[in-house]
Amino acid sequence: MRACRREAVPFTPIWLMRQAGRYMQEYRDVRARVGFLELCKTPALAAEVTVTAAERLGVDAAIIFADILLPLEPMGLQLEFTKGDGPVIHNPVRSAADVDRLIEIEGVGALQFVFEAIRHTRRALRHDLPLIGFAGAPFTLASYIVEGAGSKNYVQTKSLMYNDSGAWHAMMSLISRALVKYLNAQVDAGAQALQLFDSWVGCLSPDDYREYVLPHTRSVIAGIASDTPVIHFGTGTGELLKLISEAGGNVIGIDWRVRLDDGWERVGRDKAVMGNLDPVALFANREQLRGQAKTILEQAGGRPGHIFNLGHGILPETPVENVIALVEMVHEMSSK
């Protein structure tokens, strides 16, 4: 929390995106009993995998186990997590008429299971271990809504964006209003920081980001309780970092495609940064892994406001012992 505020810390804090996931046996044991969506919607189990991961890895923050697509069901979208193919939306939005049928989220009662999971987790965690809540950013959620599944080129998304900007902005505004309610409810439940995942926004040009995305993301971040640190994260966003910083957030995530020091210059020294080890580096031998982590710490230069993380989530095949070793390395090498 101090690093989020760019205050002095005794060592560089570290947590890892997707730290509760398939690479960990304890998570696989839970998933053998329940489906993914059932796990997300069962507060006690979501809390269990959240706490287990944080405690086993020795990280400096937990992040609630959930999924960025959970708010889509209350909007009237038919969401299914299919084995092998991931999330599928069976009634995607492709036109202004489709946008009109989306349901405005007036209250977040339908997502009560997320807030209950946060309350469960907060009670189970050490009092000094922060809990991060999160949501998908407007563009990434809109892309799922329009594409109906994962995409390489975002043809449907960009077609709607370019061909009917009125429908696009109406949809983005509706998503943004829902996210403000959802994220503030997470804070009320006990989340001490929030992360906004814009995992797909790297597909956009800077001009398109400024016109079609920035105002909506800014409205979400501006609507969050002012004393709650916000981490604003995207991948493939080296050319967008200045604009992402402009959109808002106390901490800006930097992926591995940009040097941390170069990325921090683009973000601005008035912001904290998070990152930025390549997730595949966790497959390297310990000497190589230590060298990669040391390089990132050297690029941070000991300046206040660096949170060590991967450039994206832990991959399912990652050796858990390497993840634990990375956490220990970062603590040891950055201790003051």
Side-chain angles (χ1 to χ4, degrees):
M1 297 295 286
R2 292 198 297 273
C4 286
R5 298 187 291 263
R6 295 186 297 119
E7 297 172 1
V9 291
F11 54 84
T12 299
I14 174 173
W15 69 277
L16 303 167
M17 286 177 279
R18 217 180 289 137
Q19 61 191 23
R22 285 177 288 169
Y23 76 102
M24 191 172 278
Q25 183 62 49
E26 294 90 336
Y27 175 85
R28 294 197 299 271
D29 291 344
V30 173
R31 282 285 281 108
R33 306 195 309 267
V34 298
F36 178 77
L37 205 51
E38 184 182 354
L39 174 53
C40 289
K41 293 184 176 183
T42 307
L45 290 179
E48 178 187 330
V49 297
T50 299
V51 174
T52 298
E55 291 181 345
R56 179 153 190 222
L57 299 180
V59 290
D60 300 302
I63 183 165
I64 193 63
F65 184 84
D67 190 85
I68 64 169
L69 301 185
L70 295 176
L72 301 191
E73 287 186 310
M75 295 180 190
L77 293 152
Q78 298 164 11
L79 173 64
E80 180 186 4
F81 285 86
T82 59
K83 189 171 183 179
D85 294 327
V88 174
I89 293 167
H90 294 291
N91 56 339
V93 167
R94 299 285 167 80
S95 67
D98 291 336
V99 171
D100 289 342
R101 68 172 163 78
L102 291 174
I103 298 169
E104 178 86 33
I105 294 182
E106 301 293 350
V108 287
L111 296 162
Q112 197 61 234
F113 56 88
V114 176
F115 316 133
E116 190 58 35
I118 289 171
R119 286 188 282 268
H120 271 264
T121 303
R122 190 59 271 165
R123 289 193 295 268
L125 281 176
R126 295 193 333 255
H127 70 90
D128 61 336
L129 194 67
L131 177 60
I132 303 168
F134 72 89
F139 176 80
T140 293
L141 292 186
S143 298
Y144 268 110
I145 289 170
V146 176
E147 298 292 337
S151 176
K152 289 184 178 179
N153 297 308
Y154 307 94
V155 172
Q156 300 291 347
T157 302
K158 293 184 180 182
S159 293
L160 179 63
M161 195 172 75
Y162 295 142
N163 294 329
D164 196 338
S165 62
W168 172 263
H169 285 295
M171 177 175 61
M172 289 284 279
S173 295
L174 183 144
I175 294 168
S176 299
R177 292 191 295 272
L179 288 175
V180 170
K181 297 182 181 80
Y182 179 49
L183 288 166
N184 281 322
Q186 291 187 38
V187 173
D188 291 342
Q192 292 140 291
L194 296 170
Q195 177 151 321
L196 205 57
F197 282 86
D198 218 348
S199 308
W200 287 8
V201 80
C203 73
L204 294 179
S205 70
D207 287 344
D208 283 349
Y209 181 90
R210 182 179 291 282
E211 180 174 352
Y212 297 108
V213 177
L214 192 153
H216 303 286
T217 303
R218 177 186 279 153
S219 73
V220 173
I221 295 172
I224 292 168
S226 60
D227 57 344
T228 304
V230 176
I231 304 166
H232 188 177
F233 167 79
T235 60
T237 52
E239 292 304 313
L240 300 179
L241 282 173
K242 186 174 181 181
L243 290 169
I244 286 172
S245 181
E246 190 179 322
N250 306 86
V251 184
I252 307 300
I254 299 171
D255 76 10
W256 69 96
R257 299 170 183 89
V258 180
R259 282 175 55 100
L260 188 84
D261 49 0
D262 291 343
W264 209 339
E265 287 300 324
R266 298 179 201 183
V267 164
R269 296 294 183 180
D270 60 331
K271 299 285 178 101
V273 295
M274 185 182 78
N276 64 336
L277 184 72
D278 183 342
V280 179
L282 287 167
F283 292 82
N285 62 54
R286 297 293 173 84
E287 182 181 357
Q288 179 65 225
L289 179 59
R290 185 181 183 87
Q292 296 251 358
K294 183 172 184 286
T295 296
I296 291 168
L297 291 170
E298 287 172 347
Q299 289 170 12
R303 290 182 293 272
H306 176 218
I307 299 167
F308 199 104
N309 208 313
L310 304 179
H312 206 185
I314 297 176
L315 297 168
E317 305 84 4
T318 303
V320 67
E321 60 273 14
N322 285 5
V323 181
I324 295 168
L326 173 67
V327 174
E328 293 171 349
M329 290 172 187
V330 169
H331 286 161
E332 180 241 312
M333 288 190 289
S334 64
S335 291
K336 298 179 173 65

